[in-house]
Amino acid sequence: PTALTFTYSIGSALPAAQTVSIRPSAGTPAYTVAITGANTQWLTVGPSSGVMPASLSVRVNPTSLAVGTYPATISITAAGVTNPLTIAVTLSVASGQPTLSVSTASLAFTSPPAQPAMQSFTLETTGEPIPFTVAAGSAWLSVTPTTGVVLPGAPVTVTVQADSSTLAASATAYVGKISITATGVPAANKSQVVNVTFLVNSLAPTISSIWPAGVLVNTPAATVTIRGTGYYASSVVMIGSQALPTTVVGSTALLATIPPVLLTTPQTLNFYVANPAPGGSSAPIAFIVTAVPTIQVVTNAASTIAGSIAPGEIVTMYGQGIGPLTSYPMQSTIIPGYVDTTVAGYSVTIDSVPSPILFLSQNMVTVQVPYEVTQGANKPIVITNGISLAAGTATIALDAPGLFSLDGSGAGQAAAMNYSATTQTYTLNGTKTAAAAGDTVIFYETGEGAYAASIATPTGYLVPTTLTPIPQMNPLPSVTIGGQQATVTYAGPSTGSLLGILQISAIVPAGSATGPAVPVSLSIGTDAAQSGITLAIK
């Protein structure tokens, strides 16, 4: 530092030494230290000479000094350096020390809720300003502020929050403390404590979903994800009276491992979550150990969200053993210009209509929903390889839009291109190549439903570059970028791609928010694509 300040109250302990580090731009020159000022007997610096780099200890001894402010200057001269380095030192001597008072010595919290209402205490000074720090001694405690100055006539309120999300429910209260440390007060007043108790009672847990919902018989130890509410560090997943190895991810999710011995016979296992008293147990949820593969879930291939599906939508199905051991990509060999509905002997039907297969693997199958399906709930999905291999159901709606993300997760940076009318060039949208107001952004969606009436056989159709006229959605989708309505100039097929992947061109509006992750939204009619998709806008 280029300046040092010491504060001393008469009758208190001497101020702590302060350290000054000095170093040259090159070499190891010798240095000497000199102290100047009207009265500098109270100031010492050591070592007073040596070679750099060095660390100097600066101490003050204000004993017998009267109340007031005392300036001094430390000059450091180095061999070969023309101008000395100066450090201003100020010693402030005050009269008798004030004391810090704390309004309470204890606080008590009870959970639930996981975060009980905040409580507080106040700090006051009996005289001069008092700097202070406040520290919570337990991870489940937090305080605000953690540092400050108490002024005469201006008490400071310290708020305290307890959080049980990482604690196990217990009949015995957790005990913690908050430490308050004051500066410039008598030694006996320097440290004070507020004791805190926290009684954590468990709630009754609930289960909203389990993933996967089943496995094939004789599967090795399987791990399932259970989602719901009311989970604590002491929550345990149970099957009957048997406790399963459980990992609590948070208050709404946990993992449980099913031992192989429970997976040797086709059966239904009823899982439930148990909490310590007074929480109790959740309602059970069924887990199926089956002799035949089952389609566990059907998701939008862009958004990765499970739910209703739409004609023409690209969907991905998951399930253990629903496909072949070898993976197969999309093929177009049976009818030129169309995606095959049979690959390596496997076929998929949705609502009894053959589906174009885009990807085939042991536990994941991606297909296009045929445009010929009918709307409604519990429409059958069947995967076959000469026999009925796996089955499931889905609800088919008019549309179910989902935007493609760059990493395939269904969230974050959109899979999008920028087009600049000024330079007539395309770039991949990203932090280093952000779009500007007036630029066109091109992004991609699936689940828009049937719109290309001019194409006689739309299912599996690979749109050629020679197609005229090119169909567009009417009305066009609604797009916002950075909270502002964007002008959509095109919403139709992407030539060379499967009909069912919608290409959308929108102009970045003036007034859009800017940054590396500006939210973009898409709606088709009254149905919206997933939230969390972003664009880079400059």
Side-chain angles (χ1 to χ4, degrees):
T2 58
L4 299 174
T5 300
F6 294 86
T7 302
Y8 172 70
S9 294
I10 295 174
S12 64
L14 297 183
Q18 298 189 41
T19 301
V20 174
S21 295
I22 57 174
R23 65 171 182 251
S25 58
T28 56
Y31 73 88
T32 58
V33 176
I35 300 173
T36 58
N39 174 17
T40 60
Q41 296 300 311
W42 48 269
L43 178 61
T44 58
V45 181
S48 59
S49 62
V51 294
M52 291 192 285
S55 180
L56 307 183
S57 179
V58 182
R59 301 174 182 272
V60 297
N61 180 7
T63 303
S64 79
L65 289 179
V67 172
T69 301
Y70 298 85
T73 300
I74 299 172
S75 298
I76 303 169
T77 303
V81 178
T82 303
N83 297 320
L85 175 68
T86 60
I87 300 173
V89 181
T90 303
L91 169 64
S92 297
V93 179
S95 57
Q97 296 175 305
T99 58
L100 183 71
S101 62
V102 182
S103 63
T104 186
S106 63
L107 297 172
F109 294 88
T110 301
S111 176
Q115 289 189 337
M118 290 189 294
Q119 299 185 42
S120 64
F121 58 87
T122 57
L123 305 177
E124 294 188 63
T125 176
T126 59
E128 297 176 2
I130 300 177
F132 69 88
T133 59
V134 182
S138 302
W140 48 266
L141 271 178
S142 59
V143 295
T144 304
T146 57
T147 187
V149 177
V150 183
L151 302 174
V156 173
T157 298
V158 178
T159 58
V160 183
Q161 177 70 72
D163 186 346
S164 67
S165 59
T166 60
L167 299 177
S170 173
T172 303
Y174 290 87
V175 177
K177 67 178 182 178
I178 299 168
S179 300
I180 303 101
T181 304
T183 302
V185 297
N189 187 240
K190 181 177 181 180
S191 299
Q192 299 183 67
V193 170
V194 174
N195 294 304
V196 181
T197 58
F198 192 15
L199 181 61
V200 179
N201 295 315
S202 62
L203 288 170
T206 68
I207 298 177
S208 59
S209 67
I210 185 171
W211 171 258
V215 295
L216 289 174
V217 67
N218 293 321
T219 295
T223 298
V224 296
T225 301
I226 294 176
R227 291 181 171 85
T229 61
Y231 302 155
Y232 302 84
S234 55
S235 297
V236 178
V237 178
M238 306 286 293
I239 298 178
S241 60
Q242 181 175 351
L244 301 183
T246 303
T247 301
V248 178
V249 180
S251 62
T252 60
L254 45 77
L255 304 176
T257 301
I258 310 169
V261 67
L262 295 177
L263 305 175
T264 58
T265 305
Q267 61 179 313
T268 297
L269 301 174
N270 290 311
F271 286 74
Y272 66 95
V273 178
N275 283 344
S281 301
S282 70
I285 189 169
F287 180 86
I288 309 299
V289 182
T290 176
V292 296
T294 301
I295 297 171
Q296 297 283 345
V297 68
V298 181
T299 66
N300 182 296
S303 69
T304 73
I305 294 174
S308 298
I309 61 177
E313 179 181 342
I314 313 303
V315 297
T316 298
M317 299 173 285
Y318 296 90
Q320 188 180 24
I322 64 174
L325 295 176
T326 301
S327 297
Y328 294 90
M330 180 183 79
Q331 299 179 12
S332 178
T333 59
I334 300 174
I335 301 176
Y338 283 84
V339 176
D340 293 348
T341 56
T342 299
V343 175
Y346 282 75
S347 62
V348 179
T349 61
I350 300 177
D351 195 20
S352 301
V353 183
S355 300
I357 296 173
L358 306 184
F359 181 73
L360 195 62
S361 68
Q362 184 178 13
N363 300 318
M364 183 180 79
V365 176
T366 299
V367 301
Q368 181 186 39
V369 179
Y371 282 99
E372 296 83 0
V373 297
T374 57
Q375 295 181 44
N378 297 315
K379 298 293 183 178
I381 302 176
V382 178
I383 299 175
T384 63
N385 61 345
I387 59 172
S388 178
L389 178 66
T393 62
T395 296
I396 299 176
L398 180 66
D399 53 60
L403 287 169
F404 284 94
S405 66
L406 192 60
D407 64 3
S409 68
Q413 170 68 47
M417 300 292 292
N418 309 321
Y419 175 73
S420 172
T422 302
T423 61
Q424 296 185 345
T425 57
Y426 291 89
T427 54
L428 180 67
N429 185 266
T431 54
K432 295 182 179 180
T433 50
D439 288 347
T440 296
V441 178
I442 302 165
F443 50 97
Y444 303 90
E445 178 272 355
T446 190
E448 70 279 0
Y451 71 92
S454 60
I455 298 176
T457 308
T459 298
Y461 183 58
L462 295 169
V463 181
T465 57
T466 57
L467 178 66
T468 56
I470 296 178
Q472 285 201 63
M473 292 197 72
N474 186 17
L476 293 169
S478 174
V479 173
T480 66
I481 298 174
Q484 301 296 315
Q485 192 70 39
T487 299
V488 177
T489 59
Y490 178 84
S494 176
T495 56
S497 299
L498 182 71
L499 183 69
I501 296 178
L502 189 71
Q503 176 180 316
I504 302 164
S505 299
I507 299 173
V508 178
S512 166
T514 59
V518 173
V520 57
S521 68
L522 167 78
S523 294
I524 295 176
T526 59
D527 297 318
Q530 80 274 23
S531 60
I533 293 292
T534 62
L535 292 167
I537 305 295
K538 62 183 177 181

